[in-house]
Amino acid sequence: MKVGIMGGTFDPIHIGHLLAAETARDAFGLEQVWFMPSHIPPHKHAAGASGEERLKLVREAIKDDESFRILDWEIVRGGVSYTIETVRQLQERYPSEVFYFIIGADMVRYLPKWREIDELVRRLFFIGVGRPGTPLDLNELPVHIAERVLLADMPMVDISSTMIRERAAHGKSIRYMVPEAVFDYVQRGNLYGVQPRSVD
């Protein structure tokens, strides 16, 4: 089975994440996409919401799509989440699956800096999903990495988790930037400073 791995902080998960996963799934015939929320990614500060809260947000976001599932391994493992450790674990646990790691276009150029990238590109392919204003130029990469990167064009959705957190912090609406189930959960939990709606 061809499986896409969608890693990220998902702080919070939004429609851009879901569209990227669906774009990769459709473009390369992936049978499933597994969402893997990170505990602490190497390139970012600690998340705004707890690991358990972010797991719940992802579950809410993907609950109606049978081709999406969630793995909590990096949250449970704790510490800094390095992709190579997760991929080794995945291939040991699921030796018959063929894995593709889905990343945004803004991350493609940084692949040479990833921990043990040479082993990573021997183990799987990367799928770089194009984002608005971020061209995918594989010529910037070493050849042995570039030949393991597949490209997929994604419709224009200029939304980021940072934008959502900033809007929420300033009292602005984030509705329709995240799935409705995620929006409802964020309100119920008063996450990111979003206030519950009044009930008349």
Side-chain angles (χ1 to χ4, degrees), residues 11 17 36 41 45-46 48-49 56 94 106 152 160 173 181 189-191:
D11 189 31
H17 292 129
M36 181 85 69
H45 298 295
K56 289 178 179 177
Y94 302 101
D106 55 340
S160 70
S173 175
N190 193 27
L191 299 179

Side-chain angles (χ1 to χ4, degrees), residues 15 60 175-176 178-185 187-188 197:
I15 61 171
E60 287 295 315
R175 194 170 192 179
Y176 306 121
V178 298
E180 189 69 12
V182 170
F183 180 69
D184 289 342
Y185 186 90
Q187 284 196 120
R188 290 196 306 272
R197 287 174 292 186

Side-chain angles (χ1 to χ4, degrees), residues 40-70:
I40 302 174
H43 58 288
K44 293 183 180 179
H45 298 295
S50 71
E52 187 58 35
E53 287 169 332
R54 290 182 288 113
L55 283 170
K56 289 178 179 177
L57 291 174
V58 174
R59 287 193 185 99
E60 287 295 315
I62 68 174
K63 64 184 179 182
D64 295 324
D65 193 325
E66 294 182 355
S67 65
F68 291 166
R69 62 176 289 198
I70 184 171

Side-chain angles (χ1 to χ4, degrees), residues 6-13 17 35-37 54 57-58 161 192:
M6 186 83 176
T9 314
F10 302 120
D11 189 31
I13 189 169
H17 292 129
F35 287 74
M36 181 85 69
R54 290 182 288 113
L57 291 174
V58 174
S161 295
Y192 308 110

Side-chain angles (χ1 to χ4, degrees), residues 105-106 108-109 131-137 140:
D106 55 340
V108 169
R109 70 186 65 182
R131 292 179 176 176
T134 310
L136 293 171
D137 185 4
E140 297 178 3

Side-chain angles (χ1 to χ4, degrees), residues 112-133:
K113 299 180 181 297
W114 285 35
R115 174 173 285 201
E116 300 187 56
I117 185 61
D118 290 346
E119 179 180 344
L120 265 175
V121 295
R122 289 196 301 269
R123 287 180 173 270
L124 49 62
F125 283 94
F126 285 86
I127 298 176
V129 181
R131 292 179 176 176

